[in-house]
């Protein structure tokens, strides 16, 4: 049970106290922005956004979104030259935007037709079209327009110390959970090479084919990639205004060259953009968030890059602070896939302190699916996430796994067993230690390895500090250590499987297959928009979880079965010797004692079931009821009902057998009712409906009240306090299994059975 919540302090002000309680909730940490276009705070539409327009003369764009060619900035020029398809432009721009919006949600309009149409639309028109869709329609359109059919996910693997041992162990766990990509960054930039090597080794433990990125300054990241210690890059940032580009010492042409450089060396690349980036940089030009992101996405398509990471990213919390902001994040993801780009759809930044808002934000992506649902799910604890906390983090992995199961949808992750995880963590730290020793990077003490294996986060480890990592990282870079050196080191030290897994990724770089749009590697095979295209056209089409995958998704913890319930009951039965304290004594007759109270127990009570859902042994519960009846001046009698397991009818039958006309009905799970013989079945005197919260003192008090009723009194009913616990979630699985056992023993032909009650030792004493 949860602790009792603190009582609200008396308020001296003239204020409803509920507001004071709301003030204590995590949501109050969130701040919200007002609409202010002049300051850049407008979501879908700003009065400063241009009206959609396009003129093409001789195959050349001369006017775009209200601006003549002579006035184009560098973004306009690049988009006009490399995004706009002159052959499609006249048709596309002449169409009613509402008609295009309806086409996006029409299952009879193929994705390919809409992609071709998008190549003739300007940024302002793209933003206008998706702005006409509701959040539900955006999610539906996204499920139709996303590129790859099979959903995937990406993990952040970092820690607060840049500890390579913890990186390797956490990378191995992320791989086991099913993440298709792993991304790391560091607290100290000079530790990048050590981080890359550690994650490369850890990601090779358990299975091959996981793509890896080390997020660092672009030139350094390219060098790490050339060394084979990274297989993809997504930190190629793109902005929606010219001044933001220039502030970063970049242009669309330099970004296009960089992405081409990555691809030419077999490194998968995607760009990064997202709402509110320009607002955070101070270069928003008073334009709406969606319009600026539409410019970014047209630029990326024009660059020829295969995909994007968008959905706010670092600007997501700011976007979510605005009215309609979360809908905007969905809308910009939709524009990305509409343009034919792979979409790593954000959800990599904590947008709220409210867990309700966090869960609500991820839901549309789980339902619609995405190439990468999170472009950085924090597989580590929040405080270890060097990118800052993700939308979901290590603390909430099981919550996410349950959401997959709840909606029967594939979020890209798979439950793991405790023993499996420990084995992988041991293997990962030992493999990394072996590589470091083989390559002359240092000898790792066993104590350091073991401190990492069992630790949930870096605050619990006695391993490397950031300062200790720096010379290791410098040595890796200075000596030109590559992924092939790591493969050889693994093989020489007996880690053959890990060497093969890493070599698989190096072979993939030569073939280049995973450079295709929306590519990932599953079971050694590349899946992409080419060989696994999203073909959603309505019910029965698109992605459906194969049965083995659905079974794997269901492999969560805390699954109760009938066998588990009965096993727990048997433990109690053995502890207190249940068979000896309720002895059948023939058919029960109606009593004559005016102060008698009959306790009517259910069919399975102390036969197959032996404890309440609160964990009280039934022998202790009966002792409390009998003790209370006797304390109130009454006489107790116990009768087993075989014709029903319903609490109300148990109580009513007991009352009709009682000489006083008052009886108590109780199920084995602890639900209890105080009844009177002349009442309707469900018009009881008192009811304990929340058995998991009902204590022995409550049963004793109920027994006393029953006895006092026989004297004509009307005692104060016993209240079992609740504090808003989700009792259904905690107990209803067990309750349903218990009640099925009860009803399975019902026999309508058997009369009520008199039971001789022989007080047993309290269960706590019997267990000692």
């Amino acid at each position: 049970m949860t602790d009792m919540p603190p009582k609200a302090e008396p308020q001296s002000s003239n204020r409803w106290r509920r507001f004071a309680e709301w003030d204590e909730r995590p949501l109050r940490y969130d701040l919200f922005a007002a609409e202010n276009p002049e300051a850049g705070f407008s979501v879908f539409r700003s009065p400063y956004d241009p009206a959609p327009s396009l003129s093409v003369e001789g195959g050349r764009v001369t006017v775009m979104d209200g601006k003549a060619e002579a006035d184009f900035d560098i973004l306009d020029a690049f988009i006009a030259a490399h995004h706009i398809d002159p052959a499609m432009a006249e048709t596309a721009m002449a169409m009613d935007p509402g008609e295009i919006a309806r086409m996006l949600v029409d299952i009879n309009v193929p994705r390919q037709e809409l992609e071709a149409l998008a190549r003739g639309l300007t940024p302002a028109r793209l933003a206008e079209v998706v702005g006409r869709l509701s959040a539900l329609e955006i999610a539906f359109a996204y499920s139709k327009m996303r590129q790859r059919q099979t959903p995937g996910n990406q993990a952040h693997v970092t820690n607060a110390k840049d500890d390579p041992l913890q990186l390797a162990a956490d990378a191995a766990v992320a791989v086991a959970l099913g993440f298709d990509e792993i991304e790391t960054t560091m607290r100290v930039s000079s530790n990048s090479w050590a981080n890359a090597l550690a994650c490369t080794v850890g990601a090779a433990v358990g299975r091959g084919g996981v793509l890896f990125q080390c997020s660092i300054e672009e030139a350094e990241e390219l060098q790490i990639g050339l060394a084979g210690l990274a297989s993809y890059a997504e930190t190629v940032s793109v902005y929606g205004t010219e001044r933001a580009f220039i502030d970063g010492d970049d242009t669309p042409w330099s970004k296009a060259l960089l992405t081409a450089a990555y691809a030419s060396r077999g490194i998968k690349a995607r760009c990064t953009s997202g709402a509110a980036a320009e607002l955070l940089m101070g270069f928003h030009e008073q334009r709406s968030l969606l319009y600026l992101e539409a410019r970014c996405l047209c630029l990326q398509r024009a660059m020829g890059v295969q995909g994007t990471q968008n959905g706010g990213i670092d600007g997501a919390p700011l976007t979510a602070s605005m009215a309609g902001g979360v809908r905007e994040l969905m809308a910009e993801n939709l524009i990305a896939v509409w343009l034919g780009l792979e979409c790593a759809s954000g959800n990599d930044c904590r947008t709220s302190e409210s867990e309700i808002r966090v869960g609500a934000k991820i839901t549309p992506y789980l339902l619609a699916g995405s190439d990468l649902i999170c472009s950085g799910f924090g597989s580590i604890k929040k405080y270890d996430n060097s990118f800052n906390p993700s939308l979901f983090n290590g603390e909430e992995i099981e919550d996410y796994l349950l959401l997959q199961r709840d909606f029967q949808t594939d979020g890209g992750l798979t439950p793991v067993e405790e023993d499996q995880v420990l084995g992988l963590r041991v293997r990962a730290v030992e493999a990394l230690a072996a590589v470091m020793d083989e390559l002359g990077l240092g000898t790792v003490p066993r104590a350091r390895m073991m401190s990492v294996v069992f630790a949930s986060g870096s605050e619990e480890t006695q391993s490397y500090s950031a300062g200790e990592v720096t010379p290791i990282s410098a040595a890796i870079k200075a000596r030109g250590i590559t992924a092939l050196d790591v493969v050889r080191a693994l093989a020489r030290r007996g880690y053959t499987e890990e060497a093969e897994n890493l070599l698989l990724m190096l072979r993939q770089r030569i073939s280049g297959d995973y450079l295709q749009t929306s590519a990932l590697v599953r079971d050694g095979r590349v899946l992409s928009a080419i060989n696994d295209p999203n073909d959603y056209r309505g019910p029965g089409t698109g992605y459906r979880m194969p049965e083995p995958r659905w079974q794997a998704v269901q492999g969560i913890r805390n699954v109760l079965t009938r066998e588990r319930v009965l096993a727990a009951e048997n433990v109690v039965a053995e502890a207190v010797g249940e068979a000896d304290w309720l002895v059948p004594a023939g058919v029960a007759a109606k009593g004559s004692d005016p102060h008698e109270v009959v306790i009517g127990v259910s069919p399975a009570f102390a036969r197959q079931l032996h404890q309440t859902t609160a964990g009280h042994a039934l022998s202790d519960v009966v002792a409390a009821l009998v003790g209370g009846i006797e304390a109130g001046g009454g006489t107790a009698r116990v009768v087993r009902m075989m014709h029903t397991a319903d609490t109300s009818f148990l109580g009513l039958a007991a009352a009709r057998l009682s000489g006083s006309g008052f009886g108590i009905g109780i199920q084995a799970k602890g639900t209890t009712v105080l009844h009177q013989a002349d009442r309707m079945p469900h018009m009881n005197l008192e009811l304990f409906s929340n058995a998991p919260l009902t204590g022995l003192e409550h049963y004793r008090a109920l027994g006393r009240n029953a006895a006092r009723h026989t004297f004509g009194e009307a005692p104060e009913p016993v209240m079992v306090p609740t504090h808003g616990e989700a009792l259904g979630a905690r107990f209803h699985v067990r309750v349903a299994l218990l009640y099925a056992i009860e009803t399975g023993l019902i026999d309508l032909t058997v009369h009520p059975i008199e039971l001789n009650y022989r007080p047993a030792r309290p269960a706590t004493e019997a267990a000692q």
Side-chain angles (χ1 to χ4, degrees):
M1 296 292 100
T2 57
D3 295 333
M4 296 274 288
K7 293 182 179 179
E9 295 295 327
Q11 300 289 311
S12 56
S13 61
N14 186 22
R15 189 188 193 201
W16 188 34
R17 292 178 187 170
R18 185 72 56 76
F19 280 97
E21 294 167 357
W22 287 340
D23 286 345
E24 299 303 313
R25 290 178 58 81
L27 177 63
R28 286 278 69 78
Y29 289 106
D30 292 2
L31 295 178
F32 304 100
E35 181 87 4
N36 185 351
E38 287 72 21
F41 288 86
S42 54
V43 178
F44 276 87
R45 180 69 187 163
S46 165
Y48 301 97
D49 285 350
S53 64
L54 186 68
S55 296
V56 179
E57 297 178 8
R60 185 182 184 91
V61 175
T62 57
V63 176
M64 185 173 69
D65 290 342
K67 190 183 294 186
E69 182 181 11
D71 299 322
F72 283 174
D73 63 16
I74 57 175
L75 280 75
D76 296 319
F78 201 89
I79 291 169
H82 303 291
H83 162 64
I84 297 295
D85 178 1
M88 178 60 71
E90 183 177 357
T91 299
M93 289 297 291
M95 292 180 67
D96 175 64
E99 179 187 352
I100 302 174
R102 287 187 290 275
M103 291 170 68
L104 283 169
V105 295
D106 187 343
I107 61 175
N108 297 305
V109 180
R111 174 170 59 88
Q112 294 80 1
E113 180 180 330
L114 284 158
E115 285 182 23
L117 197 64
R119 293 193 283 271
L121 298 176
T122 67
R125 179 53 54 83
L126 289 165
E128 180 185 15
V129 170
V130 298
R132 298 196 176 202
L133 300 175
S134 69
L136 177 62
E137 290 162 345
I138 291 170
F140 182 79
Y142 191 86
S143 71
K144 168 184 167 180
M145 295 302 300
R146 61 186 180 85
Q147 296 299 300
R148 191 185 62 248
Q149 183 161 273
T150 305
N153 219 325
Q154 180 198 111
H156 284 166
V157 177
T158 64
N159 65 69
K161 300 176 183 177
D162 293 341
D163 176 11
L165 292 175
Q166 186 180 339
L167 287 168
D170 288 341
V173 174
V175 168
L177 283 164
F179 288 104
D180 297 294
E181 293 184 355
I182 289 175
E183 180 183 19
T184 194
T185 193
M186 58 294 309
R187 301 295 171 99
V188 179
S189 61
S190 56
N191 291 341
S192 58
W193 286 81
N195 275 36
L197 187 144
C199 287
T200 295
V201 173
V205 174
R207 70 180 171 97
V210 177
L211 276 66
F212 168 68
Q213 181 205 3
C214 183
S215 178
I216 186 67
E217 189 273 333
E218 290 170 346
E220 190 81 355
E221 185 172 342
L222 182 57
Q223 291 185 56
I224 291 172
L226 292 174
L229 297 176
S231 46
Y232 80 95
E234 66 181 13
T235 50
V236 183
S237 299
V238 174
Y239 307 103
T241 64
E242 183 176 81
R243 290 189 65 193
F245 257 110
I246 294 171
D247 186 65
D249 195 26
D250 278 309
T251 70
W253 289 269
S254 66
K255 293 294 187 180
L257 179 62
L258 180 59
T259 58
Y262 279 121
S264 71
R265 295 299 182 265
I267 302 170
K268 177 183 174 180
R270 68 175 70 95
C271 291
T272 291
S273 59
E278 300 81 10
L279 180 55
L280 287 168
M281 297 174 71
F283 302 123
H284 51 77
E285 298 181 356
Q286 301 179 326
R287 309 299 177 90
S288 69
L289 304 185
L290 185 61
Y291 169 70
L292 292 179
E293 181 58 15
R295 296 187 89 198
C296 291
L297 293 167
C298 289
L299 273 175
Q300 292 170 58
R301 200 197 80 75
M303 289 163 55
V305 69
Q306 67 84 35
T308 186
Q309 172 188 219
N310 83 328
I313 314 304
D314 290 340
L318 181 54
T319 306
S321 75
M322 305 181 205
V326 173
R327 174 173 161 251
E328 191 282 337
L329 297 175
M330 297 167 60
E332 64 183 63
N333 291 147
L334 174 57
I335 294 177
V337 294
W338 185 11
L339 290 170
L341 298 172
E342 172 197 54
C343 186
S345 46
N347 299 311
D348 62 342
C349 190
R350 194 80 167 185
T351 55
S352 176
E353 292 288 1
S354 163
E355 289 196 346
I356 293 174
R357 292 186 76 203
V358 167
K361 185 180 185 304
I362 199 67
T363 301
Y365 298 91
L366 278 171
L367 298 180
S370 186
D371 293 318
L372 294 163
I373 291 173
C374 301
S375 49
F377 185 122
S379 67
I380 66 287
K381 296 190 76 169
K382 291 187 185 77
Y383 70 76
D384 266 331
N385 197 328
S386 300
F387 291 100
N388 286 323
S390 298
L391 187 68
F392 278 74
N393 298 276
E395 294 89 335
E396 297 115 2
I397 286 175
E398 285 201 312
D399 300 71
Y400 185 88
L401 293 171
L402 260 296
L403 288 175
Q404 293 184 138
R405 182 178 181 269
D406 288 345
F407 290 106
Q408 196 171 349
T409 189
D410 194 339
L413 301 193
T414 304
V416 291
E417 299 286 342
E418 285 195 48
D419 290 346
Q420 174 194 6
V421 167
L422 277 181
L424 290 169
R425 293 181 71 83
V426 170
R427 182 79 174 177
V429 297
E430 290 180 343
L432 179 62
V435 168
M436 291 176 66
D437 187 53
E438 181 69 25
L439 297 178
L441 297 172
T443 301
V444 183
R446 187 72 180 172
R448 285 193 172 191
M449 288 190 270
M450 289 300 101
S451 79
V452 165
V453 166
F454 297 101
S456 179
S458 62
E459 292 180 358
E460 305 166 22
T461 64
Q462 289 79 49
S463 188
Y464 289 94
S465 68
E468 291 175 304
V469 174
T470 301
I472 298 173
S473 188
I476 296 169
K477 180 179 180 179
R479 290 168 49 193
I481 291 174
T482 70
L484 278 175
D485 297 317
V486 177
V487 170
R488 280 191 288 264
L490 287 167
R492 286 170 183 161
R493 292 302 181 98
Y495 292 90
T496 306
E497 183 179 343
E498 288 75 14
E500 287 290 345
N501 287 341
L502 180 51
L503 195 58
L504 166 68
M505 292 309 301
L506 297 179
R507 291 193 185 103
Q508 287 291 342
R509 291 182 61 158
I510 296 172
S511 71
D513 287 346
Y514 76 79
L515 303 182
Q516 298 166 2
T517 300
S518 304
L520 50 77
V521 183
R522 295 268 181 95
D523 300 320
R525 175 174 173 261
V526 172
L527 293 180
S528 73
I530 305 299
N531 64 353
D532 184 35
N534 178 24
D535 63 355
Y536 181 76
R537 296 290 296 276
T541 65
Y543 180 74
R544 296 291 188 272
M545 268 194 288
E547 185 59 28
R549 173 65 181 147
W550 173 226
Q551 292 301 319
V553 165
Q554 295 179 67
I556 57 167
R557 300 196 301 163
N558 281 15
V559 175
L560 275 182
T561 63
R562 186 177 189 275
E563 291 70 28
R564 283 186 60 184
V565 168
L566 285 175
E569 298 294 324
N570 290 336
V571 169
V572 177
E574 292 170 3
V576 298
E578 298 284 353
D580 299 331
W581 63 277
L582 285 180
V583 181
V587 176
K590 180 172 174 56
S592 57
D593 184 343
H595 299 297
E596 176 185 72
V597 177
V598 170
I599 302 170
V601 302
S602 60
F605 194 99
R607 294 173 70 201
Q608 285 191 305
L609 305 178
H610 304 283
Q611 61 180 333
T612 70
T613 48
H616 303 301
L618 296 185
S619 55
D620 292 344
V621 172
V622 172
L625 288 170
V626 170
I629 292 167
E630 292 175 347
T635 302
R637 185 158 68 104
V638 183
V639 174
R640 183 183 307 283
M641 308 300 175
M642 295 300 297
H643 69 286
T644 184
D646 181 275
T647 316
S648 294
F649 287 98
L650 288 171
L652 185 60
R656 289 173 176 172
L657 285 173
S658 172
S660 66
F662 293 93
I664 294 172
I666 181 169
Q667 297 172 329
K669 62 186 178 69
T671 305
T672 308
V673 66
L674 171 57
H675 227 310
Q676 190 172 9
D678 58 357
R679 285 178 167 252
M680 296 295 288
H682 300 298
M683 292 295 293
N684 53 68
L685 295 170
E686 296 189 43
L687 172 66
F688 290 169
S689 59
N690 290 326
L693 303 179
T694 306
L696 296 176
E697 70 278 10
H698 299 120
Y699 291 112
R700 182 177 178 86
L702 184 72
R704 184 183 185 282
N705 278 4
R708 298 317 301 167
H709 273 289
T710 70
F711 288 93
E713 297 178 10
E716 184 70 23
V718 180
M719 294 291 120
V720 178
T722 68
H723 300 290
E725 299 93 338
L727 295 180
R730 296 186 187 191
F731 295 100
H732 272 185
V733 173
R734 186 178 169 205
V735 164
L737 291 167
L738 292 172
Y739 197 61
I741 293 169
E742 290 270 30
T743 56
L745 295 177
I746 289 175
D747 189 338
L748 299 177
T749 67
V750 178
H751 294 288
I753 301 170
E754 191 79 27
L755 298 175
N756 286 336
Y757 170 57
R758 300 173 181 175
R761 285 185 300 158
T764 52
E765 293 181 15
Q768 293 175 354

